[in-house]
Amino acid sequence: MKRIVAVLLSFMMIVTFAGCTNTKAETTKSEATGKVVIDSLGRQVEVPAEIDSVGSLGVMRLLTYMDAVDLVKGGTDMDNVQQLTRPYTLVNPNFASIAQIGQGGSGGIVPFDEEIIKLAPDVIFVVSDYTQADELQAKTGIPVVAVASPGLFDGKMSASIDIIGQVLGKEDRAKEVNEFMDAAQKDLNDRTKDIPEASRISVYNGALNFKGKHGFDGTSGNYGPFVAINANNVVDQTGQKTAFTVDLEQVLAWNPEIIFLNPENMDLVNEQYAQNPDFFSSLKAVQNNKVYTQLAYNNNYTNVEIALADAYYAGAVIYPDKFKDINIEKKTDEIFEFLLGEKLYSKYVAAGQGFGPLTIGK
């Protein structure tokens, strides 16, 4: 009898041990299949440890910078159309047929919940402008990670790239991208920081795109490429920190020494010239043939690669002695190739939107 009891006790111990072992194995596996990241809205989001598919709502550009487009299964309607002002679409022609899981553009992000559920990506990236990330996550049952869309050197890019790197396990690429941008910022600042205020040439930038296209009077204070090179932007005198429409008489009062315009909107500028040629002929920058291009970079958020190329070109025009080693064509392609994977500058030249002088009225 004692022998039977001993056998039974031994058997029970084996079963109990096996059960404990299996429970521990399942717990370890559960921990291994997920990780928690903090997104740009300060939310703690649990995502799978391994990501095989991604949905993008306004983050496709950053995913391109991160060499992660092979994971993307769905995007917004803004990702489907190839445009020079959205160069990430040029290097991803397959996006023309990618599943649409939302609407983008100036109206903001509008997710298509049913399409997202049908697509069932492992994670959804959404720009942090869209503040209903918790609701979207609850509706779809899919982790939603909000990421800030950065401007040029506005302090947002490093954190956004790091978040994407953490989610996708691409920390090495995140480090490369951030080091590239930090080096560019330092290079631009080092070339221009010691120029005395009295020697800083006055500049103006017009024909910008913001909430649509604008003519000569579409400008911006705190203009990223000018800030990067410590330029004397006359518009900063207004205290404006974003894009707006300025009174033309105010521009004449400033009478900047150099003018930069977006070549994409020269049709609008030339219409203004036809209506008021005396205004333009009174500007000393026009009289001295000091009108140059700045490529439009605001389209479906900031195309950082174009803004960075703009900064180098503006620097070469304003301070030629400080940028004499820069070949703008090669520099632009270097930037495009690193961030987007392809040299694209020739496409801009072919479309009449390369860097160079402009003549108003033609």
Side-chain angles (χ1 to χ4, degrees), residues 83-97:
Q83 288 193 6
L84 283 176
T85 49
R86 294 200 298 272
Y88 75 90
T89 64
L90 300 181
V91 300
N92 294 304
N94 57 305
F95 285 172
S97 58

Side-chain angles (χ1 to χ4, degrees), residues 78-145:
M78 299 294 286
D79 302 321
N80 290 137
V81 182
Q82 289 185 295
Q83 288 193 6
L84 283 176
T85 49
R86 294 200 298 272
Y88 75 90
T89 64
L90 300 181
V91 300
N92 294 304
N94 57 305
F95 285 172
S97 58
I98 200 168
Q100 287 191 13
I101 60 171
Q103 176 183 312
S106 59
I109 296 295
V110 180
F112 301 157
D113 298 346
E114 292 183 3
E115 295 302 318
I116 292 172
I117 294 170
K118 187 187 304 181
L119 189 67
D122 293 328
V123 67
I124 303 165
F125 285 107
V126 61
V127 287
S128 57
D129 292 9
Y130 179 79
T131 57
Q132 289 81 47
D134 285 331
E135 291 88 334
L136 180 61
Q137 184 166 297
K139 287 179 182 177
T140 62
I142 298 168
V144 175
V145 177

Side-chain angles (χ1 to χ4, degrees), residues 17-33:
F17 178 77
C20 291
T21 302
N22 287 340
T23 301
K24 187 176 189 310
E26 289 173 2
T27 301
T28 303
K29 182 179 180 183
S30 175
E31 290 172 352
T33 56

